[in-house]
Amino acid sequence: MIALGLEGSANKLGVGLIRHDMTTTPPTVTILANLRHTYHPPPGEGFLPKDTAQHHRSHILQLVKDAMAEGNITPKDISVICFTKGPGMGGPLTSVATVARTLALMWNKELVGVNHCVGHIEMGRQITGAENPVVLYVSGGNTQVIAYAEKRYRIFGEALDIAVGNCLDRFARVLNLPNDPAPGYNIEQLAKQGTKLLDLPYTVKGMDVSFSGVLTYIETNAPALLASGEYTAADLCFSLQETVFAMLVETTERAMAHIGSKEVLIVGGVGCNKRLQEMMDQMASQRDGKVFATDERFCIDNGIMIAQAGILAYQTGYTTPLEKTWCTQRFRTDEVFVAWRE
Amino acid sequence: MATPALNERLTLQIPLPSPRLAKIAADVLDVDKDLKPEVSRRLISTQDNILTLDFQTSTLKLLRTVVNSSLEMVQMVVSTMASFDTESGEP
């Protein structure tokens, strides 16, 4: 069984092809293609919906062609077409969904609308083999602490205002860091040269976290701190990372304690951050636990995770009828009935 | 507040290569419903190979916006068809 997966909820456009060989138990999973094209705005700017949608429309057809060529796949080989239904940015999501629908009708294939967060979780599980971890899903658009229970990915805690990646990305604009390959990546590299820790607001609220306050604080004070020579840009990046990551580690630990889990799976673009992985690992080791993370092929938004989550749903008999293939900016992780797990 | 009259109108008739493709285009586009039907409405229909989009809005600015975004999606559908249609024999 082969699934085509199309992802475009933010500035990353991803196309993936995955095969599930159903003759083995469990099925053998092979990644046939996992291609991505990213929209980078100029330094100091963020990506806006209209430009992002246009980027996706400009690149998606070639990306699909390239993916099929790389996987040596023709339309008749494809069992199901999966696409991101939400959450994310409206125009970009709809641009990609439009292609999915068109292909499905031309080729006479079923469609599966996938929840972007569930895509991240399922790809993380597939790649790392983590059994039943607490999942920390951290990206530019989402920050959630998730654990599976009775057919749903339950949200134990989340960011109350902006995602941690959004906080980092917007601070990168203040420093005028390049957006290529990603603002968060450039903050991570610069932070490695930081040595001085600035005391920043630390806002954990029970199981939840808040980032807009610490962002406002550092945005407001950075110019003066840098001008005074007291702190370098590297020191500020270092301080911001240490603070927000500590907040994430705390809430993840709280969830682990709550459900008695010894595994942490970090997914989402911010999950690529080695410092976050290191801090999480220190906490997990103290609890005799283990951290699972993937590399940039899978933690950054991609099409293969959509194909994976989609094909798992498809195998339980789930499809999305055409009239329901609209996209939505808000789509809670626990709205999905996880029929494919016990 | 009374519902504004939808006095601004535009009709687009777009020929597709075949009735089949016109129907597919109509079905794909019609999934996305009007965001604010009280001020902007789009009706999609086909006649043989002609895809017809009827727009009715309360203001000229809304008309321009909805027509532009619809055309962006039409362009996406049409270019997807040009690249990937299998019925013409191309894989």
Side-chain angles (χ1 to χ4, degrees):
Chain A
M1 201 181 276
I2 292 175
L4 173 69
L6 304 178
E7 152 61 31
S9 57
N11 66 323
K12 279 78 70 185
L13 175 67
V15 175
L17 278 164
I18 206 162
R19 179 199 286 130
H20 280 216
D21 179 356
M22 310 306 288
T23 64
T24 63
T25 309
T28 309
V29 177
T30 314
I31 294 165
L32 303 172
N34 186 19
L35 302 180
R36 184 195 300 132
H37 200 283
T38 307
Y39 169 55
H40 301 294
E45 292 175 33
F47 54 89
L48 296 170
K50 199 168 143 80
D51 304 320
T52 307
Q54 191 171 346
H55 165 270
H56 291 355
R57 288 194 302 272
S58 305
H59 290 95
I60 186 166
L61 298 180
Q62 190 59 51
L63 216 57
V64 171
K65 276 188 196 151
D66 292 345
M68 290 175 72
E70 184 172 311
N72 201 16
I73 294 291
T74 65
K76 65 168 171 50
D77 302 320
I78 295 174
S79 318
V80 61
I81 296 177
C82 313
F83 67 98
T84 310
K85 192 184 201 326
M89 300 169 97
L93 283 168
T94 304
S95 297
V96 172
T98 297
V99 173
R101 293 175 207 149
T102 309
L103 292 175
L105 290 182
M106 285 196 301
W107 296 344
N108 199 26
K109 307 286 179 188
E110 301 270 27
L111 284 158
V112 172
V114 175
N115 178 303
H116 181 89
C117 316
V118 173
H120 275 293
I121 297 170
E122 288 305 337
M123 206 61 211
R125 287 182 63 227
Q126 174 60 37
I127 294 295
T128 66
E131 290 260 342
N132 196 19
V134 165
V135 178
L136 176 65
Y137 170 35
V138 274
S139 70
N142 294 280
T143 294
Q144 297 172 7
V145 177
I146 294 157
Y148 173 77
E150 290 178 41
K151 306 291 198 190
R152 304 264 170 187
Y153 286 115
R154 317 270 169 183
I155 301 171
F156 271 64
E158 60 191 309
L160 296 172
D161 34 53
I162 59 173
V164 62
N166 191 239
C167 178
L168 293 166
D169 291 351
R170 282 158 71 176
F171 184 58
R173 290 180 221 167
V174 167
L175 297 178
N176 225 53
L177 295 181
N179 286 315
D180 193 351
Y185 176 84
N186 293 323
I187 289 190
E188 180 179 0
Q189 304 319 307
L190 192 51
K192 289 176 187 171
Q193 298 162 39
T195 51
K196 206 166 167 190
L197 185 69
L198 171 70
D199 204 15
L200 292 170
Y202 181 92
T203 37
V204 169
K205 309 192 176 195
M207 303 290 289
D208 297 318
V209 282
S210 161
F211 295 112
S212 59
V214 59
L215 176 63
T216 303
Y217 184 91
I218 201 170
E219 275 180 335
T220 311
N221 291 289
L225 290 167
L226 292 169
S228 75
E230 230 194 307
Y231 292 89
T232 64
D235 292 332
L236 296 183
C237 289
F238 166 68
S239 304
L240 184 59
Q241 282 198 165
E242 293 300 297
T243 307
V244 300
F245 291 167
M247 288 162 58
L248 296 172
V249 170
E250 179 183 334
T251 49
T252 306
E253 179 167 23
R254 192 156 286 129
M256 286 173 83
H258 193 85
I259 66 172
S261 171
K262 282 195 147 70
E263 293 178 322
V264 180
L265 170 63
I266 312 181
V267 298
V270 181
C272 295
N273 190 300
K274 293 278 184 241
R275 180 58 188 145
L276 173 61
Q277 291 177 21
E278 184 181 35
M279 288 170 74
M280 195 66 70
D281 199 51
Q282 283 168 349
M283 175 277 288
S285 309
Q286 287 166 14
R287 306 184 62 85
D288 213 27
K290 195 168 173 226
V291 174
F292 295 84
T294 63
D295 62 48
E296 58 80 37
R297 288 171 296 166
F298 306 108
C299 56
I300 298 181
D301 289 349
N302 59 84
I304 203 78
M305 71 188 193
I306 301 302
Q308 171 67 4
I311 209 175
L312 288 172
Y314 184 65
Q315 287 163 2
T316 70
Y318 179 86
T319 59
T320 308
L322 182 68
E323 64 273 13
K324 296 224 164 85
T325 59
W326 37 264
C327 296
T328 175
Q329 292 187 236
R330 306 254 177 275
F331 189 0
R332 297 288 287 172
T333 313
D334 52 18
E335 271 185 57
V336 176
F337 182 68
V338 184
W340 56 91
R341 288 186 66 173
E342 278 310 303
Chain B
M1 191 175 111
T3 322
L6 305 183
N7 288 328
E8 308 297 343
R9 308 276 173 99
L10 186 83
T11 300
L12 293 175
Q13 291 187 304
I14 302 164
L16 277 286
S18 66
R20 169 181 161 264
L21 290 177
K23 177 85 177 40
I24 289 176
D27 289 345
V28 168
L29 295 167
D30 207 32
V31 175
D32 300 307
K33 298 300 170 198
D34 304 311
L35 286 173
K36 286 194 192 158
E38 66 275 15
V39 289
S40 172
R41 260 177 241 168
R42 177 182 74 178
L43 286 159
I44 301 175
S45 57
T46 60
Q47 179 97 43
D48 295 319
N49 71 315
I50 308 288
L51 170 70
T52 301
L53 304 178
D54 274 300
F55 300 91
Q56 298 175 36
T57 64
S58 58
T59 68
L60 213 46
K61 182 179 175 183
L62 275 169
L63 188 66
R64 188 164 41 82
T65 318
V66 68
V67 169
N68 277 339
S69 59
S70 295
L71 280 174
E72 283 165 354
M73 291 304 121
V74 169
Q75 178 268 323
M76 192 77 261
V77 171
V78 167
S79 42
T80 306
M81 289 173 166
S83 291
F84 291 107
D85 190 20
T86 47
E87 215 143 283
S88 54
E90 277 292 329

